[in-house]
Amino acid sequence: MASRHLFTSESVTEGHPDKIADQISDAVLDAMLDQDKTSRVACETMVTTGLAVVAGEITTKAYVEIPKLVRSVIEDIGYDDAAYGFDCHTCAVTTTIDQQSPDIAMGVNTGGAGDQGLMFGYACNETPELMPLPIMLAHKLAMRLSKVRKNGELGYLRPDGKTQVTVEYENGRPSRIDTIVVSSQHSDKVTQKKIRADILKHVIEPLLPKKLMNGKPIKYHVNPTGNFVIGGPMGDCGLTGRKIIVDTYGGMGRHGGGAFSGKDPSKVDRCEVQVAYAIGVAEPVSVMVDSFGTGKVSDDKLTALVRKHFDLTPRGIIEALKLRRPIYRRTAAYGHFGRGDFAWEQTDKAKLLAKGM
């Protein structure tokens, strides 16, 4: 008998309140790294009706006009009208920022990790991006939802939105798409019937992988509550770091618990490998590889190969992946992984590991 199960992952658009917060935090980080590559940044953001609050611990030689930057990010996302309940022109922006603790800096300055913590990386061959299918398809639907809003194809949509994809697995492999959920904020001048028809035609259908549409019909839920006019920070308070599963692998594989956005690369939550660190210590306290039984050699051997071919100190990872560049705002929506334009997506060292097998 075939083993079957359903697995679900979600994504959100750049206009989701938590993602607004992530993008503001990463925009602050990028602006500081652009002027001072040694900036130490731990920037947190909260957005709610009419208000954005930026807080954190930052040590830098850079000067950034944070309120102006915050308004620019909010405008880019699409909140540029008071009718949306959150407006780049009129929202209040407050900042409360201190310097990084000298106790932390003492350990980081010598090449140590900027915090303790454990991180998990995950890869599989379900998609060309080496990502699990449910989260990859959810991201693509969310990106397309924003695209048809911004290009005017579905101009009545508003910035906030969520997607969710349920995939049926048979013997550990995706066999068909079971359910797709798309919720999008919208104008109050459009019917739900039109929204459903337009999102099916312009958002969902162009992205469906044909080979996974066999068997039972896909179940579609478009704006299942029946209305989504109030959204964004007016509908829900947004916080940096509250979408850590969306940012990684959609729940497929384990998660160490650390958030990403607003942190300079000395904060080890940025690392994309399965390691754990002690604060102020350069070498990881543990490294583990789990191939889930698919490796050609033992997991112990794979772990040894990783230790041999990768410098897993924070400084080594920062240098190898060129992490002191202002690249982080681009990661703050639609996932940090599975996007080929980032250095951590390269698989060039796979051949080195293969030679040792």
Side-chain angles (χ1 to χ4, degrees):
M1 294 289 292
S3 171
R4 297 176 184 271
H5 71 275
L6 298 176
F7 191 89
T8 302
S9 295
E10 70 161 349
S11 184
V12 298
T13 65
E14 64 207 63
H16 186 281
D18 293 333
K19 279 290 141 200
I20 299 171
D22 282 344
Q23 289 167 91
I24 290 171
S25 292
D26 271 334
V28 171
L29 170 61
D30 280 351
M32 292 182 175
L33 288 177
D34 192 42
Q35 297 179 42
D36 177 8
K37 295 187 183 303
T38 65
S39 296
R40 300 279 170 74
V41 180
C43 180
E44 311 291 345
T45 302
M46 182 195 77
V47 292
T48 188
T49 306
L51 175 65
V53 179
V54 179
E57 294 76 45
I58 297 175
T59 300
T60 183
K61 298 173 185 175
Y63 173 75
V64 176
E65 192 175 339
I66 290 178
K68 182 178 179 181
L69 179 62
V70 170
R71 295 183 192 281
S72 174
V73 172
I74 294 168
E75 184 175 26
D76 287 348
I77 292 168
Y79 287 103
D80 55 3
D81 190 324
Y84 302 165
F86 192 66
D87 173 20
C88 63
H89 304 295
T90 61
C91 71
V93 180
T94 64
T95 62
T96 171
I97 294 172
D98 292 319
Q99 288 192 331
Q100 183 186 64
S101 162
D103 295 338
I104 295 175
M106 184 169 56
V108 178
N109 290 341
T110 60
D115 203 351
Q116 72 177 49
L118 54 148
M119 301 82 216
F120 290 95
Y122 184 87
C124 62
N125 60 4
E126 291 179 13
T127 62
E129 297 86 359
L130 304 181
M131 291 284 286
L133 177 64
I135 187 63
M136 204 67 235
L137 186 51
H139 282 327
K140 289 181 178 180
L141 288 167
M143 284 189 275
R144 180 129 185 115
L145 200 57
S146 288
K147 181 180 179 180
V148 298
R149 168 179 63 88
K150 289 184 168 182
N151 68 16
E153 199 171 348
L154 300 183
Y156 58 78
L157 296 182
R158 298 294 179 254
D160 196 357
K162 302 179 79 172
T163 63
Q164 187 170 280
V165 176
T166 301
V167 174
E168 182 176 71
Y169 282 75
E170 183 176 345
N171 295 326
R173 301 292 301 172
S175 60
R176 69 178 189 90
I177 298 169
D178 183 83
T179 306
I180 291 178
V181 183
V182 176
S183 296
S184 181
Q185 186 187 13
H186 57 85
S187 155
D188 61 0
K189 304 291 194 296
V190 62
T191 67
Q192 291 299 322
K193 182 178 180 180
K194 178 171 174 56
I195 293 171
R196 178 181 173 85
D198 283 349
I199 286 180
L200 280 170
K201 179 179 179 181
H202 297 285
V203 177
I204 297 174
E205 290 175 0
L207 294 174
L208 290 178
K210 299 296 187 286
K211 66 179 181 179
L212 295 177
M213 295 175 63
N214 301 322
K216 301 176 185 176
I218 299 172
K219 296 185 283 289
Y220 299 109
H221 299 287
V222 177
N223 282 8
T225 65
N227 212 38
F228 191 178
V229 175
I230 298 173
M234 185 178 182
D236 190 15
C237 180
L239 297 170
T240 298
R242 203 160 57 180
K243 286 290 176 283
I244 58 176
I245 300 302
V246 172
D247 284 344
T248 51
Y249 308 101
M252 190 80 74
R254 289 159 289 197
H255 194 289
F260 293 159
S261 291
K263 297 177 180 179
D264 76 86
S266 73
K267 299 293 185 182
V268 288
D269 306 270
R270 283 284 184 194
C271 303
E272 201 276 327
V273 289
Q274 300 180 40
V275 291
Y277 293 91
I279 187 168
V281 180
E283 288 292 337
V285 297
S286 70
V287 179
M288 181 208 53
V289 174
D290 185 351
S291 65
F292 304 98
T294 64
K296 295 180 180 179
V297 297
S298 70
D299 289 343
D300 287 345
K301 177 68 171 177
L302 289 172
T303 301
L305 288 168
V306 167
R307 294 305 302 261
K308 177 180 178 181
H309 293 291
F310 289 88
D311 181 349
L312 297 180
T313 64
R315 180 174 293 168
I317 293 171
I318 288 167
E319 292 176 354
L321 300 182
K322 300 179 176 63
L323 296 182
R324 293 205 179 278
R325 298 172 293 153
I327 58 173
Y328 294 106
R329 185 180 165 191
R330 287 189 292 133
T331 71
Y334 312 116
H336 289 245
F337 310 121
R339 298 161 66 186
D341 54 341
F342 296 114
W344 52 83
E345 299 296 323
Q346 304 307 309
T347 59
D348 51 303
K349 291 217 173 182
K351 292 181 179 178
L352 289 175
L353 270 67
K355 287 181 180 179
M357 292 184 181

XYZ file of all heavy atoms in Angstrom, residues 102-152:
374
model
N 28.387 46.504 25.080
C 29.834 46.241 24.995
C 30.192 44.816 25.423
O 31.217 44.282 25.012
C 30.441 47.291 25.939
C 29.323 47.711 26.836
C 28.078 47.591 26.020
N 29.340 44.199 26.235
C 29.598 42.809 26.641
C 29.493 41.874 25.442
O 30.254 40.915 25.312
C 28.598 42.378 27.717
C 28.753 43.168 28.999
O 29.842 43.727 29.213
O 27.788 43.227 29.771
N 28.518 42.139 24.547
C 28.387 41.348 23.321
C 29.522 41.677 22.360
O 30.160 40.792 21.793
C 27.022 41.608 22.649
C 25.885 41.120 23.556
C 26.951 40.921 21.293
C 24.501 41.452 23.024
N 29.792 42.980 22.193
C 30.832 43.409 21.254
C 32.185 42.795 21.592
O 32.971 42.464 20.704
C 30.931 44.930 21.257
N 32.464 42.615 22.875
C 33.745 42.061 23.304
C 33.983 40.686 22.687
O 35.095 40.339 22.294
C 33.762 41.968 24.830
C 35.071 41.505 25.436
S 35.066 41.744 27.229
C 33.599 40.842 27.730
N 32.939 39.880 22.558
C 33.083 38.565 21.957
C 33.047 38.593 20.447
O 33.778 37.861 19.782
N 32.229 39.491 19.875
C 32.093 39.555 18.425
C 33.336 40.143 17.782
O 33.751 39.738 16.695
C 30.843 40.392 18.043
C 30.720 40.502 16.526
C 29.589 39.751 18.624
N 33.973 41.105 18.440
C 35.147 41.761 17.873
C 36.292 40.794 17.618
O 37.156 41.048 16.774
C 35.629 42.882 18.801
C 34.668 44.059 18.839
O 33.835 44.206 17.947
N 34.766 44.879 19.871
N 36.332 39.694 18.318
C 37.391 38.699 18.126
C 36.980 37.593 17.152
O 37.676 36.600 17.011
C 37.773 38.070 19.482
O 36.617 37.443 20.052
C 38.316 39.128 20.434
N 35.839 37.774 16.499
C 35.381 36.789 15.515
C 34.366 35.809 16.041
O 33.980 34.870 15.338
N 33.911 36.015 17.265
C 32.935 35.098 17.847
C 31.534 35.353 17.351
O 31.250 36.349 16.682
N 30.631 34.434 17.698
C 29.225 34.574 17.306
C 28.571 35.696 18.102
O 28.896 35.925 19.268
C 28.485 33.261 17.560
N 27.628 36.399 17.448
C 26.948 37.507 18.094
C 25.835 37.088 19.023
O 25.216 37.930 19.667
N 25.563 35.810 19.094
C 24.561 35.292 20.025
C 24.677 33.782 20.051
O 25.281 33.180 19.152
C 23.148 35.707 19.590
C 22.154 35.694 20.745
O 22.522 35.196 21.837
O 21.036 36.172 20.562
N 24.126 33.172 21.078
C 24.009 31.723 21.043
C 22.827 31.357 20.168
O 21.985 32.191 19.839
C 23.825 31.163 22.440
C 22.449 31.437 23.035
C 22.285 30.797 24.398
O 23.143 30.937 25.256
N 21.180 30.109 24.606
N 22.724 30.103 19.755
C 21.568 29.695 18.975
C 21.855 28.503 18.111
O 23.011 28.096 17.934
N 20.772 27.915 17.561
C 20.902 26.775 16.663
C 20.146 27.093 15.392
O 19.106 27.741 15.413
C 20.354 25.505 17.313
C 18.925 25.566 17.839
C 18.276 24.179 17.716
C 18.909 25.996 19.302
N 20.702 26.664 14.262
C 20.135 26.979 12.955
C 20.043 25.711 12.124
O 20.923 24.848 12.191
C 21.023 27.976 12.179
C 21.254 29.284 12.881
S 22.563 29.135 14.099
C 21.917 30.218 15.364
N 18.994 25.605 11.342
C 18.811 24.461 10.458
C 18.701 24.945 9.020
O 17.942 25.858 8.721
C 17.538 23.681 10.811
C 17.625 22.933 12.107
C 17.155 23.491 13.279
C 18.182 21.665 12.149
C 17.230 22.810 14.473
C 18.260 20.972 13.342
C 17.786 21.542 14.513
N 19.463 24.312 8.134
C 19.287 24.489 6.700
C 18.646 23.231 6.139
O 18.763 22.149 6.715
N 17.944 23.350 5.022
C 17.223 22.207 4.461
C 17.212 22.329 2.948
O 17.073 23.432 2.408
C 15.784 22.187 4.986
C 14.963 21.002 4.561
C 14.973 19.821 5.293
C 14.168 21.056 3.426
C 14.205 18.731 4.913
C 13.398 19.968 3.032
C 13.423 18.808 3.787
O 12.663 17.729 3.407
N 17.386 21.229 2.253
C 17.294 21.225 0.791
C 16.718 19.892 0.340
O 16.897 18.866 0.998
C 18.673 21.434 0.166
N 15.987 19.914 -0.787
C 15.433 18.691 -1.354
C 15.288 18.904 -2.858
O 15.434 20.017 -3.352
C 14.083 18.342 -0.723
S 12.809 19.588 -0.989
N 14.997 17.840 -3.581
C 14.915 17.951 -5.039
C 13.476 17.973 -5.560
O 13.210 17.590 -6.686
C 15.710 16.818 -5.714
C 15.199 15.436 -5.326
O 14.216 15.300 -4.615
N 15.887 14.412 -5.801
N 12.547 18.466 -4.742
C 11.152 18.550 -5.174
C 10.922 19.647 -6.206
O 9.962 19.595 -6.977
C 10.245 18.804 -3.962
C 10.147 17.641 -3.016
C 9.251 17.945 -1.819
O 8.521 18.943 -1.843
O 9.310 17.157 -0.857
N 11.777 20.677 -6.193
C 11.649 21.802 -7.118
C 13.030 22.174 -7.644
O 14.048 21.826 -7.027
C 11.053 23.036 -6.410
O 11.954 23.446 -5.366
C 9.685 22.728 -5.814
N 13.112 22.898 -8.785
C 14.418 23.338 -9.287
C 15.163 24.221 -8.292
O 16.397 24.285 -8.312
C 14.054 24.135 -10.551
C 12.726 23.618 -10.969
C 12.009 23.250 -9.698
N 14.428 24.881 -7.409
C 15.052 25.758 -6.412
C 15.576 24.989 -5.207
O 16.102 25.588 -4.263
C 14.032 26.794 -5.927
C 13.533 27.740 -7.003
C 12.342 27.195 -7.791
O 11.904 26.049 -7.513
O 11.838 27.914 -8.665
N 15.431 23.658 -5.212
C 15.858 22.779 -4.111
C 15.076 23.062 -2.825
O 15.564 22.862 -1.720
C 17.368 22.897 -3.858
C 18.268 22.624 -5.067
C 19.733 22.757 -4.690
C 17.988 21.246 -5.661
N 13.845 23.522 -3.013
C 12.957 23.835 -1.891
C 11.770 22.877 -1.886
O 11.400 22.330 -2.933
C 12.445 25.267 -2.030
C 13.504 26.330 -1.824
S 13.901 26.552 -0.082
C 12.444 27.424 0.503
N 11.122 22.691 -0.721
C 9.884 21.902 -0.690
C 8.823 22.549 -1.580
O 8.700 23.781 -1.631
C 9.476 21.947 0.782
C 10.743 22.242 1.533
C 11.540 23.133 0.629
N 8.031 21.728 -2.254
C 7.028 22.246 -3.184
C 5.972 23.125 -2.508
O 5.623 24.187 -3.053
C 6.351 21.088 -3.920
C 5.231 21.480 -4.883
C 5.771 22.323 -6.032
C 4.508 20.238 -5.419
N 5.411 22.758 -1.345
C 4.337 23.585 -0.792
C 4.751 25.040 -0.538
O 4.029 25.963 -0.905
C 3.970 22.866 0.516
C 4.364 21.444 0.277
C 5.601 21.519 -0.554
N 5.915 25.260 0.076
C 6.331 26.636 0.375
C 6.745 27.368 -0.895
O 6.464 28.564 -1.056
C 7.465 26.669 1.427
C 7.783 28.108 1.855
C 8.715 25.977 0.926
C 6.659 28.828 2.536
N 7.364 26.672 -1.848
C 7.797 27.336 -3.078
C 6.601 27.812 -3.882
O 6.592 28.936 -4.405
C 8.651 26.369 -3.912
C 9.614 27.064 -4.865
S 10.899 27.964 -3.990
C 10.710 29.599 -4.697
N 5.571 26.978 -3.982
C 4.378 27.371 -4.726
C 3.614 28.472 -3.980
O 3.089 29.411 -4.607
C 3.474 26.161 -4.952
C 2.244 26.380 -5.849
C 2.614 27.033 -7.172
C 1.530 25.043 -6.101
N 3.575 28.399 -2.657
C 2.922 29.453 -1.873
C 3.613 30.798 -2.088
O 2.961 31.842 -2.233
C 2.905 29.081 -0.393
N 4.961 30.795 -2.122
C 5.706 32.037 -2.388
C 5.382 32.585 -3.778
O 5.180 33.791 -3.955
C 7.203 31.780 -2.306
C 7.749 31.688 -0.915
N 7.249 32.410 0.140
C 8.793 30.968 -0.411
C 7.942 32.136 1.238
N 8.873 31.262 0.929
N 5.354 31.711 -4.772
C 5.099 32.174 -6.139
C 3.700 32.758 -6.276
O 3.490 33.752 -6.984
C 5.319 31.023 -7.122
C 6.789 30.644 -7.278
C 6.980 29.508 -8.267
C 8.469 29.178 -8.431
N 8.691 28.069 -9.392
N 2.736 32.169 -5.598
C 1.378 32.718 -5.611
C 1.346 34.092 -4.940
O 0.681 35.021 -5.431
C 0.422 31.762 -4.899
C 0.083 30.466 -5.633
C -0.607 29.489 -4.690
C -0.801 30.728 -6.850
N 2.059 34.239 -3.818
C 2.090 35.529 -3.122
C 2.771 36.592 -3.976
O 2.307 37.746 -4.050
C 2.800 35.382 -1.774
N 3.868 36.219 -4.632
C 4.560 37.166 -5.504
C 3.677 37.596 -6.669
O 3.643 38.766 -7.054
C 5.863 36.552 -6.035
C 6.975 36.530 -5.019
S 8.577 36.037 -5.713
C 8.442 34.264 -5.635
N 2.944 36.628 -7.226
C 2.073 36.948 -8.353
C 0.900 37.831 -7.902
O 0.475 38.715 -8.649
C 1.550 35.667 -8.994
C 0.632 35.900 -10.169
C 1.032 35.118 -11.378
N 0.181 35.471 -12.504
C 0.599 36.075 -13.602
N 1.878 36.405 -13.731
N -0.232 36.357 -14.584
N 0.413 37.598 -6.700
C -0.655 38.431 -6.155
C -0.209 39.895 -6.093
O -0.970 40.806 -6.456
C -1.031 37.922 -4.760
C -2.388 38.297 -4.174
C -3.535 37.856 -5.076
C -2.529 37.678 -2.785
N 1.014 40.131 -5.654
C 1.538 41.499 -5.610
C 1.795 42.049 -7.011
O 1.579 43.236 -7.273
C 2.835 41.541 -4.792
O 2.560 41.382 -3.413
N 2.252 41.179 -7.908
C 2.558 41.631 -9.266
C 1.314 42.148 -9.981
O 1.341 43.226 -10.590
C 3.188 40.491 -10.067
C 3.554 40.877 -11.500
C 4.183 39.711 -12.246
C 4.523 40.111 -13.683
N 5.147 38.981 -14.425
N 0.202 41.404 -9.923
C -1.002 41.829 -10.644
C -1.640 43.048 -9.984
O -2.393 43.789 -10.633
C -2.028 40.677 -10.778
C -1.439 39.535 -11.583
C -2.523 40.191 -9.416
N -1.344 43.266 -8.708
C -1.792 44.500 -8.051
C -0.977 45.685 -8.547
O -1.529 46.719 -8.945
C -1.655 44.375 -6.529
C -1.828 45.702 -5.793
C -1.715 45.537 -4.279
N -0.412 45.067 -3.839
C 0.615 45.877 -3.561
N 0.482 47.196 -3.709
N 1.765 45.383 -3.125
N 0.335 45.543 -8.557
C 1.206 46.664 -8.897
C 1.166 47.036 -10.377
O 1.313 48.209 -10.729
C 2.640 46.353 -8.473
C 2.850 46.366 -6.957
C 4.304 46.157 -6.604
C 4.561 46.456 -5.140
N 5.982 46.314 -4.764
N 0.999 46.035 -11.252
C 0.980 46.360 -12.683
C -0.408 46.790 -13.173
O -0.585 47.086 -14.359
C 1.516 45.204 -13.524
C 0.619 43.970 -13.516
O -0.549 44.019 -13.134
N 1.165 42.828 -13.935
N -1.382 46.833 -12.274
C -2.708 47.308 -12.621
C -3.635 46.270 -13.212
O -4.802 46.552 -13.493
